[in-house]
Amino acid sequence: MERKEWPLWEVFVRSRNGLDHKHCGSVHAPDARLALQVARDVYTRRQEGVSIWVVQADHIVASDPDAKPELFDPAEDKIYRHPTFYKLPDEVNHM
Amino acid sequence: MYTQALDLPQQNPEGRPPSLAENPAWQAEFDAKIDAGGFIEPKDWMPEAYRKTLVRQISQHAHSEIVGMLPEGNWISRAPTLKRKAILLAKVQDEGGHGLYLYAAAETLGVSRDKLTDALLSGRAKYSSIFNYPTLSWADVGVIGWLVDGAAIMNQIPLCKCSYGPYARAMVRICKEESFHQRQGFDALLQLMQGTEAQREMVQDAVNRWWWPSIMMFGPHDSDSTHTGQNTRWGIKRISNDDLRQKFIDATVKQAEVLGVTLPDPELKWNEQRGHYDFGRIDWEEFWNVVNGHGQCNVDRLAARRKAWDDGAWVREAAMAHADKAARRAQAAA
Amino acid sequence: MTEMAQQTTATSPGHVEYVMRMGDNALILGQRTAEWCGHSPVLEEDMALANMALDLIGQARMLLTHAGRLEGRGRDEDALAFQRNEPAFRNLTLCELPNEDFARTMLRIALFSRFQLLLWERLLSSTDSELAAIAAKSIKEARYHAQHSGDWVVRLGDGTEESHRRAQAALDYLWPYTAEFFIPSAADEAAAEAGVGPLWSTLEADWEAAVRPLLEEAMLSLPAPVPFRSQGKFGRHSEHMGHLLAEMQYLQRIHPGARW
């Protein structure tokens, strides 16, 4: 029997305006229209969203977990990028 | 919902081969992460045994949700009021949603949903044996909500902190939705207990039939449980079967009093010294019989799932065929 | 649907029947659609079908509650749903027919929701303020049902030989029942007279204009017209209705007067 599984789509939901879309799970669907509809049926049954993105999972390019050291460790010592690095006089420290 | 000691032996569904060979340095890094209470994410290196155990546990859990739609689904068409019909339908739908979240979590470990479905339909995979009991009256719907969902919630809350990120996140979502399930069940039973004598008898009969299977849901005694040690080490299992079972029984006795039903265990009584309720001997022979396919509904449940899958094959195929055609047409037009 | 907006006096018996008929449509189609829960072709569609069934049951509850108030005989949504016999139900026959397969299920929702949508649009300005409020809520649901089911009709019509054959068989079976939507009735006359809602017969052209392009896109051919007219909305149902009610009403029938 010929069997071709429906592609997997990743689902991102904006819970309310002013917030980012956030990954919340995935669905299987044959096309983008149905992916959006079932993402709505599966992930917003309790008013969890005001906007949905679906992206075919194959189309997501992810960083390699084994490359974590070269990607993310170099930021570790750039502590001068953080506001707390700078000690200012109390009178202006709310700056 | 319905996890019961989800470490029952079964043949593993085929997954991808380990992408990376076992490696002591990676193993040490993995162990350190687990020991620090951290999370493992899909593409992180993990020991093959950890991955296999997760696939088995998450997929058993997902199958339990899907098969679990059937016993309560049996009453949707006969719910006694429109409000109860809507509640029950929403609840059974939620179970489908929970199955879906869990299949998605399992898929991050490199198995396809079709493979997992195949393992269920061929009878290789296990699911919670509680669903191999029949729902014989309307009160069963309430009792399933109260006892079965209640037991499931006890089982599941610790999993919200399990070490595998996608599983933990699915469980957080599931637990949030689950508390409505238990409460609607209790609410339906309260209404019945305030009703006619026939309604009260219906409730007691349902409690008599579901009590023992519910406390079996926590799985074999710790002394007889196969994977407990390793799973606890891996942070996939947080609290032991017996501890959870005791916690559930202690909480339920009071609820039964409020409801005005008798739990069918003459040995159930408060033990001042232990600070817990003592309870009678669990019939493990029955448990294993049902797990191994000899409950009243095992055959019917799987047959219903197979029928849905087989009858739906042409629909799934047609949708893909249309998507392919539409893509080709769009390409030709471009 | 605040206390303020509740209309509690019927302008005529036809007004009551008009609202009850809509409630019965939603109830019976909701009952049928809910049968899929746990048995659909793919988990995602279990979710979608259950959502549509929940919408319909929700509409039925509001409409039957309202009909009961208008009627003024103390019958609530459950008395109306569970304690009437076949002839008292005024739903379209189309709603009570068995699901059969996924093609018939989706096509039925596609045909019905397009009809319901037209009705809700007109009812937004009903003189019955409660009915207008129900329309405002339900029209959004009907739009989604029309879209989801319509997309499926196209997928099935275009998909494979088998799905096309099944979709065409579903259309051949269901199409004759759609004529019933537009048969004139005394209840329509009374409701239209009082500004409660449109004559259903006046919706025919708009409905065809909504349905024909869908069926064309799905490459389905319209069956030839037939003289048969189903009569569900006048209380004369198909053989399926008795079985549907026997199942749906069983608990209330064997425990008369019990509360649930």
Side-chain angles (χ1 to χ4, degrees):
Chain A
M1 182 170 90
E2 194 210 340
R3 275 212 343 217
K4 190 172 162 196
E5 192 166 7
W6 286 2
L8 189 68
W9 302 73
E10 297 301 333
V11 179
F12 301 80
V13 172
R14 185 201 294 288
S15 57
R16 58 187 159 83
N17 277 8
L19 297 180
D20 292 325
H21 283 79
K22 191 176 153 197
H23 182 245
C24 64
S26 43
V27 293
H28 284 276
D31 54 60
R33 276 177 77 91
L34 191 62
L36 261 185
Q37 288 172 17
V38 297
R40 172 259 191 196
D41 287 320
V42 173
Y43 291 103
T44 64
R45 301 197 301 291
R46 290 177 171 77
Q47 301 180 292
E48 293 95 333
V50 295
S51 162
I52 302 177
W53 291 344
V54 291
V55 185
Q56 211 171 313
D58 294 354
H59 295 174
I60 291 182
V61 182
S63 64
D64 176 1
D66 296 329
K68 243 183 244 166
E70 57 266 37
L71 290 177
F72 308 113
D73 290 355
E76 216 170 58
D77 64 352
K78 316 285 193 295
I79 48 175
Y80 45 79
R81 284 184 184 274
H82 299 277
T84 47
F85 178 73
Y86 303 93
K87 295 276 168 286
L88 300 185
D90 279 351
E91 308 91 277
V92 296
N93 203 21
H94 61 275
M95 185 183 286
Chain B
M1 56 186 71
Y2 312 112
T3 72
Q4 83 190 353
L6 285 164
D7 51 2
L8 296 170
Q10 70 173 63
Q11 275 175 271
N12 261 313
E14 282 171 68
R16 64 170 179 193
S19 55
L20 296 163
E22 307 291 313
N23 174 309
W26 291 330
Q27 178 75 47
E29 197 183 316
F30 172 87
D31 289 342
K33 225 183 271 175
I34 296 270
D35 292 343
F39 289 103
I40 306 300
E41 292 295 343
K43 295 195 167 170
D44 293 347
W45 183 88
M46 61 188 81
E48 184 55 17
Y50 174 83
R51 193 187 74 81
K52 273 193 172 152
T53 301
L54 277 171
V55 169
R56 186 181 63 218
Q57 177 165 332
I58 301 172
S59 63
Q60 280 183 4
H61 192 167
H63 300 328
S64 301
E65 300 284 355
I66 301 311
V67 176
M69 297 172 79
L70 299 171
E72 288 175 281
N74 182 35
W75 283 91
I76 294 172
S77 65
R78 294 178 290 168
T81 69
L82 295 184
K83 183 181 90 176
R84 297 280 175 208
K85 188 189 290 290
I87 293 170
L88 180 59
L89 178 55
K91 182 196 180 231
V92 176
Q93 182 201 38
D94 271 356
E95 284 158 16
H98 296 174
L100 207 151
Y101 309 155
L102 289 162
Y103 282 128
E107 284 179 276
T108 64
L109 292 159
V111 281
S112 71
R113 194 200 291 176
D114 274 4
K115 278 252 167 63
L116 298 173
T117 302
D118 186 59
L120 172 67
L121 300 185
S122 69
R124 291 195 310 279
K126 299 287 188 211
Y127 56 86
S128 189
S129 54
I130 194 87
F131 302 117
N132 292 318
Y133 291 86
T135 50
L136 302 179
S137 79
W138 169 250
D140 288 36
V141 168
V143 169
I144 288 179
W146 173 40
L147 295 179
V148 177
D149 292 327
I153 291 170
M154 282 270 168
N155 257 327
Q156 291 176 351
I157 286 175
L159 290 174
C160 294
K161 291 185 197 151
C162 91
S163 64
Y164 187 57
Y167 191 23
R169 290 190 287 274
M171 290 314 305
V172 168
R173 185 174 274 273
I174 289 169
C175 285
K176 255 192 224 162
E177 298 181 355
E178 197 79 28
S179 71
F180 134 64
H181 294 184
Q182 192 184 16
R183 294 173 69 92
Q184 66 80 30
F186 199 82
D187 178 72
L189 294 176
L190 268 179
Q191 180 71 54
L192 290 173
M193 290 305 288
Q194 289 158 14
T196 64
E197 195 176 333
Q199 287 177 305
R200 284 194 295 276
E201 277 169 13
M202 199 189 278
V203 176
Q204 185 61 56
D205 172 62
V207 170
N208 292 348
R209 283 181 289 110
W210 289 95
W211 170 249
W212 288 102
S214 299
I215 64 173
M216 290 179 197
M217 281 176 71
F218 295 93
H221 287 307
D222 299 339
S223 48
D224 305 323
S225 191
T226 35
H227 308 283
T228 296
Q230 181 62 76
N231 289 357
T232 307
R233 169 75 182 76
W234 277 336
I236 313 177
K237 184 176 191 68
R238 296 271 179 189
I239 306 179
S240 82
N241 293 355
D242 284 328
D243 288 352
L244 282 170
R245 180 168 19 243
Q246 184 70 61
K247 198 174 162 203
F248 172 72
I249 290 171
D250 290 347
T252 306
V253 171
K254 174 83 187 152
Q255 295 162 0
E257 279 168 22
V258 172
L259 211 49
V261 295
T262 311
L263 297 173
D265 177 1
E267 292 173 55
L268 191 68
K269 55 174 173 295
W270 180 250
N271 181 328
E272 192 66 52
Q273 252 180 340
R274 291 203 309 127
H276 291 293
Y277 281 91
D278 288 338
F279 53 96
R281 211 186 68 81
I282 294 171
D283 181 357
W284 291 111
E285 196 182 321
E286 178 187 321
F287 174 76
W288 287 112
N289 279 341
V290 179
V291 167
N292 291 321
H294 308 293
Q296 181 165 341
C297 300
N298 297 58
V299 174
D300 291 342
R301 298 290 186 241
L302 267 194
R305 286 313 309 160
R306 274 192 209 114
K307 184 174 185 330
W309 185 250
D310 293 344
D311 289 355
W314 68 271
V315 176
R316 297 189 300 274
E317 207 180 302
M320 270 326 288
H322 169 70
D324 290 345
K325 283 185 195 175
R328 276 200 302 274
R329 282 194 290 259
Q331 214 166 21
Chain C
M1 281 159 288
T2 61
E3 215 50 46
M4 289 291 291
Q6 269 172 15
Q7 178 156 354
T8 49
T9 326
T11 51
S12 68
H15 182 178
V16 181
E17 186 176 330
Y18 194 91
V19 177
M20 205 166 314
R21 192 202 284 164
M22 295 189 63
D24 289 346
N25 281 338
L27 173 60
I28 301 303
L29 186 56
Q31 173 80 1
R32 280 295 186 215
T33 306
E35 289 174 14
W36 278 101
C37 188
H39 306 278
S40 85
V42 62
L43 205 38
E44 279 78 356
E45 211 52 45
D46 272 301
M47 308 297 292
L49 285 161
N51 269 347
M52 293 194 284
L54 282 168
D55 289 342
L56 289 166
I57 293 166
Q59 292 169 15
R61 295 185 64 193
M62 293 186 290
L63 288 161
L64 292 179
T65 297
H66 184 47
R69 286 207 191 104
L70 290 173
E71 184 190 50
R73 287 170 49 195
R75 298 201 286 182
D76 65 6
E77 59 182 62
D78 291 324
L80 289 171
F82 296 98
Q83 287 164 26
R84 280 181 298 158
N85 295 335
E86 292 100 303
F89 276 86
R90 295 305 163 105
N91 57 283
L92 296 163
T93 309
L94 179 102
C95 298
E96 76 207 34
L97 301 170
N99 289 327
E100 180 68 17
D101 66 6
F102 192 75
R104 191 195 287 177
T105 298
M106 279 301 171
L107 183 65
R108 165 164 54 190
I109 297 174
L111 298 173
F112 177 75
S113 58
R114 279 162 178 74
F115 174 70
Q116 221 194 4
L117 200 48
L118 293 170
L119 208 43
W120 291 134
E121 277 167 12
R122 306 297 197 285
L123 290 172
L124 289 173
S125 53
S126 171
T127 52
D128 176 342
S129 57
E130 176 73 4
L131 191 55
I134 296 172
K137 179 176 185 301
S138 306
I139 193 167
K140 300 176 224 166
E141 297 168 346
R143 275 191 197 117
Y144 185 76
H145 300 181
Q147 187 192 56
H148 186 75
S149 59
D151 287 359
W152 266 113
V153 169
V154 172
R155 278 186 201 101
L156 297 181
D158 180 49
T160 61
E161 243 171 72
E162 179 176 10
S163 69
H164 180 83
R165 178 177 59 71
R166 285 174 180 268
Q168 185 63 53
L171 183 61
D172 294 345
Y173 181 81
L174 293 175
W175 189 253
Y177 289 96
T178 61
E180 182 187 338
F181 298 2
F182 310 108
I183 304 174
S185 78
D188 277 14
E189 299 282 348
E193 176 98 349
V196 168
L199 298 169
W200 288 14
S201 57
T202 59
L203 303 175
E204 187 163 10
D206 285 349
W207 181 76
E208 285 214 13
V211 164
R212 279 174 187 273
L214 172 71
L215 299 178
E216 257 165 51
E217 196 189 345
M219 290 169 279
L220 299 174
S221 26
L222 271 190
V226 291
F228 167 69
R229 292 289 175 273
S230 54
Q231 305 280 323
K233 69 179 182 185
F234 302 107
R236 289 187 295 284
H237 291 276
S238 69
E239 289 181 349
H240 306 292
M241 187 65 175
H243 295 281
L244 184 149
L245 293 185
E247 187 172 337
M248 185 175 85
Q249 299 179 334
Y250 132 86
L251 273 173
Q252 291 245 2
R253 297 289 194 178
I254 59 169
H255 297 278
R259 294 167 55 86
W260 306 88

